[in-house]
Amino acid sequence: MTSLTALSPHETHSAKVGRVLYFVLLVAIMISMSYVISGQLFKFAVMALSAYVAPEGATAVAEASKLMSSMTVVHNGLAVVLTIVLTIIVVRKFINTGHVHRMAFLHRMVLYLALIVGVVVVLFPFFWMLCTAFKPSGQELVISKTNPFDIVPSEPTLDNFRRVLKIDAASKAMAAVDAIEQKKNFGTFFLNSLLVATTAAFMVTFFAAMGAYVFSKKQLPYKQQIFMLLLATMMIPGMMFMVPQFFMVCKMGLFGTKWAMFLPHLASVFGIFMLKQFMDTIPDSLIEAAQIDGASEWQVFRVVIVPLAFPIILTLFLLTFLFHWSNFLWQLIVTNFENPLSITLPVGLALFRGQYTSELGLIMSASCFSIVPIAVLFLFAQRYFIAGMTQGAVKE
Amino acid sequence: MNERKLIVVAVIAYLALVFVCWDDSITSSPDGRKILTFWHTYNDQEEQVLRSIIKDWETANASFTIRPVRIPFDGHKAKLRTALTVGQGPDMARVDWSFVCELARKNSVIDLETLGFEKIRDQYLPAPLKSAFIDGKYYGIPDQSTCVAMFYNRQMFKAAGLIGPAEEDQNKVEEVVLPKTWEEFIEVGKKLTDKSKDQYAFAMTNTLWWNLPFFNSYGARIVSEDGKKCVLDSDSAVQALEMMASLVNEHKIEAGAWRPGAISPEQGFVNGKYAMVFMGPWNLAKFATAKMDFGVGLIPGGTAGTSTNVGGTDVVIFKGTNYAAECYDFLTFFTSAENQKTWCTELNQLPINLGAYDLVSFDDPNLRVFMEQMKHAGPNPVVKDYALLEDLINPEVEAVLSGQKTAREALTTAAKKVQERLIDL
């Protein structure tokens, strides 16, 4: 109804005033949100800077805290300036918008504000993680008394990052013991996991795509029954396989190698199922056309099937990558802890947790690094990923 | 074209990754000494002290070397279970106290009496030692032990007038009104609770291990001495649970931290919402660096006086080792009074060796309270699957706390379940 009145040429004075009041209300919300959010972000930047500038040592926290409080004006000022600039831009835009389009402008503003709330809700845990990574030991759980939403630490330190990357004094002393200790660092764990997860993801998608192609498009005796049999294995909980698989891996002499990390998981029934569901929607006539043009079996697969099923293949790649990136239990079992070169990230992260205490700061700073590959993958592949998630879901 | 470039870059990056990571051979100097592997779950600082103790032992035993291997505490049970099935286990390991029983009943660890343990047995604290006493034999040596005591927030105590006015006069010892019995605890608790400020006197979690101080202070046990009967339905246990429930329901001095999703005792304590919580010595250093104004007192006493639980770890020797005597020699050396003194002074931990109690002197008065509390610890229930024991009992206790069942009803059900599904099975 409101849009109708907005478009009407004979609008009343009160409608105009109503719109302006509506606008003022939205601007007030925007100002408060902008001030709070940018205030936290600038404070975080100042905090990270002062933690970085402060030298390593016993007085580092005190110094960084002093530096930070001396820069309170800077981050508060920046937040105020940003908010003012933003307000001016929005108000000018509103004034420059013709009366007819003002309601649409307001609707768009509401939409953006709602989206910003959504973004804050989604990103808040990550921001919290980043902030906790800068907190000194013992203060991870302390909440500011004056403002519980102010989660940026006022006594920042880089010690957690140093300890995770093993570049603090104590770790250097440990590393001097022998070659094995030198290799026991986050970098090794990270690269190991990257290798295991990418290799596994490549191989799983490759095999699953070929398997799914056969189950979807080829004729073979008892195809349906074999497929049902495969699906039935999904009913068995993964835990049941663990000991036999471990036994086999050990008998093959692969204990503590990277092969052991992913070899038992290469045959992914779930992957075949997901890809088959998608490939069923590819018309057979396309394949026949390719065959008439003289395409070989492999060419049909490569030129027709894979490009068409690419979104879903990429989805499977991402899901497999995620699975192996965080597969704690299996990797723990096959890790040979005497050889740090076989330790992967989820297992390495668990080393920070004790019987009763968790080094929250260390876990958080390590997590900051560990989410990077996943974030990068999602950024590159998000379009396909979201498309793939829904495409496999419905079979028409 | 752009996409192709991306693929080429990805392939090159992948090949580089393979090149960097594929090789997992590592050079360690083989020097002819026999290697004893010791799986442990210590943290960085602890590992450094462990290495120095190992060095001392190696100078006396020149033909052996000990390789300490750290495994994550979170997965140490799963790791050991699977490694032992295929014979990849270590010579010795540090395991959670609750795991010793399973290892012993599965016949994986060596009975220490065969190595002469009865001669030195008496030097260890009785309560931690009991967790390694299974079916009449000792299978593990306690290497680290903890218990919980009562942490209190001094600022909140001052605000409630429970700390005497000794601030101005430095010479006068300030008087803290610490509850000695549960009745006093309730009385003090009422002064500390202020619901309008969302402030509570006490907060607890509801898991069996954390509830043991309540049961132990009434002399109640979970499992009988010989491990054959669940005695959770005893009168003293009912009395203890009734008292616990009264803190929540009748006197309303407990914050409900045991409810799912509530603010945990540790977080509430750090942020000044809960005045008293039960916690272990592992938090002392953490709270000190956070500049908290807190103190530690003994857990209030019930009919059996003050008492607490026992946590920590034991070291065990596996049957697969070829050098049981050497392992035993190292582990007793590691837990001897002198080495415990080094260990405890450097790491601010409680000794498990009674001999070390006289050698260690802590500057921290709170740690001294813990040493005192440790002497009054009650033994933990020794069962094959401790996690299952928790799973069977916790829901019943929760039913009492939330007022759905009476203490006797709940404990009778729990005792029956434990007997049927854990002990008799």
Side-chain angles (χ1 to χ4, degrees), chain A residues 143 181 199 333 335 339 355, chain B residues 14 21 24 51 79 96 271:
Chain A
I143 293 167
E181 281 306 317
T199 312
I333 289 172
T335 297
N339 178 357
Q355 187 176 16
Chain B
Y14 178 72
C21 297
D24 31 32
R51 277 172 190 272
K79 180 74 194 167
D96 187 40
N271 289 301

Side-chain angles (χ1 to χ4, degrees), chain A residues 43 47 61 64-66 68-69 135 139 151-156:
Chain A
K43 192 175 171 194
M47 185 272 299
V61 174
S65 149
K66 219 164 79 190
M68 217 184 129
S69 57
K135 286 184 181 175
Q139 292 205 347
I151 54 170
V152 180
S154 52
E155 293 180 339

Side-chain angles (χ1 to χ4, degrees), chain A residues 116-310:
Chain A
I116 288 170
V117 170
V119 168
V120 168
V121 168
V122 171
L123 290 186
F124 184 74
F126 291 97
F127 187 61
W128 199 350
M129 175 184 80
L130 271 170
C131 290
T132 311
F134 280 94
K135 286 184 181 175
S137 169
Q139 292 205 347
E140 295 100 339
L141 293 174
V142 180
I143 293 167
S144 163
K145 281 214 169 56
T146 46
N147 176 9
F149 293 103
D150 182 13
I151 54 170
V152 180
S154 52
E155 293 180 339
T157 170
L158 280 183
D159 277 354
N160 292 323
F161 293 100
R162 289 201 189 97
R163 279 179 65 191
V164 163
L165 298 175
K166 298 256 175 180
I167 50 172
D168 62 319
S171 306
K172 278 179 186 158
M174 283 282 277
V177 177
D178 55 23
I180 294 181
E181 281 306 317
Q182 269 166 27
K183 286 284 173 196
K184 214 183 202 170
N185 60 44
F186 188 80
T188 317
F189 305 160
F190 186 87
L191 289 179
N192 278 344
S193 252
L194 205 57
L195 178 68
V196 167
T198 34
T199 312
F202 269 124
M203 294 177 90
V204 166
T205 36
F206 184 64
F207 292 134
M210 293 200 294
Y213 171 54
V214 171
F215 277 117
S216 174
K217 297 292 173 209
K218 293 277 125 188
Q219 294 302 318
L220 80 160
Y222 301 113
K223 187 173 85 171
Q224 212 53 37
Q225 284 81 348
I226 296 173
F227 189 63
M228 282 299 149
L229 197 70
L230 275 182
L231 281 189
T233 60
M234 281 176 78
M235 303 268 185
I236 305 170
M239 289 290 201
M240 305 278 289
F241 297 128
M242 209 154 268
V243 172
Q245 278 176 344
F246 179 65
F247 218 81
M248 282 156 72
V249 162
C250 289
K251 287 277 177 227
M252 291 156 101
L254 295 175
F255 175 75
T257 62
K258 283 172 197 85
W259 284 104
M261 302 274 176
F262 56 78
L263 206 56
H265 299 117
L266 286 190
S268 164
V269 178
F270 169 71
I272 293 177
F273 175 65
M274 196 167 85
L275 296 191
K276 178 192 175 293
Q277 291 301 93
F278 185 84
M279 286 178 191
D280 282 348
T281 64
I282 298 174
D284 288 345
S285 44
L286 279 179
I287 299 166
E288 284 157 13
Q291 277 165 344
I292 289 167
D293 285 346
S296 69
E297 203 62 70
W298 174 250
Q299 277 173 326
V300 170
F301 177 68
R302 202 180 58 90
V303 179
V304 179
I305 299 290
V306 171
L308 282 175
F310 193 67

Side-chain angles (χ1 to χ4, degrees), chain A residues 61 128 137-145 155 163 166 169-171 173-174 177-181 183-184 188 191-192 194-196 198-200 202 242-243 246-247 250 255-259 262 328-329 331-343 347 350-360 362 380 384, chain B residues 3 6 10-11 14 17-28 35 37 39-45 47-48 51 55 67-76 78-79 82-86 88 90 94-97 144 146 155 209-210 264 266-267 270-272 282-283 285-287 289-292 310-313:
Chain A
V61 174
W128 199 350
S137 169
Q139 292 205 347
E140 295 100 339
L141 293 174
V142 180
I143 293 167
S144 163
K145 281 214 169 56
E155 293 180 339
R163 279 179 65 191
K166 298 256 175 180
S171 306
M174 283 282 277
V177 177
D178 55 23
I180 294 181
E181 281 306 317
K183 286 284 173 196
K184 214 183 202 170
T188 317
L191 289 179
N192 278 344
L194 205 57
L195 178 68
V196 167
T198 34
T199 312
F202 269 124
M242 209 154 268
V243 172
F246 179 65
F247 218 81
C250 289
F255 175 75
T257 62
K258 283 172 197 85
W259 284 104
F262 56 78
F328 170 67
L329 192 56
Q331 295 182 2
L332 169 87
I333 289 172
V334 295
T335 297
N336 176 9
F337 282 94
E338 288 172 43
N339 178 357
L341 289 178
S342 80
I343 300 177
V347 180
L351 287 172
F352 296 126
R353 297 182 56 147
Q355 187 176 16
Y356 301 106
T357 50
S358 298
E359 299 263 19
L360 285 178
L362 290 184
F380 271 110
Y384 298 106
Chain B
E3 220 162 63
L6 200 72
V11 168
Y14 178 72
L17 188 67
V18 172
F19 184 73
V20 171
C21 297
W22 194 258
D23 178 29
D24 31 32
S25 57
I26 193 161
T27 48
S28 63
I35 297 169
T37 320
W39 284 11
H40 68 81
T41 50
Y42 295 117
N43 64 24
D44 285 347
Q45 296 99 312
E47 193 173 339
Q48 274 182 342
R51 277 172 190 272
K55 221 171 234 169
R67 186 178 292 164
V69 177
R70 192 199 299 184
I71 55 174
F73 186 85
D74 266 358
H76 81 288
K79 180 74 194 167
T82 44
L84 289 169
T85 26
V86 292
Q88 297 267 15
R94 171 196 191 227
V95 298
D96 187 40
W97 65 268
Q144 199 183 41
T146 51
Q155 269 173 354
W209 189 77
W210 287 94
S264 71
E266 183 177 340
Q267 186 165 17
V270 172
N271 289 301
W282 55 85
N283 272 338
K286 236 174 150 183
F287 288 172
T289 47
K291 295 188 202 77
M292 273 197 68
V310 189
T313 48

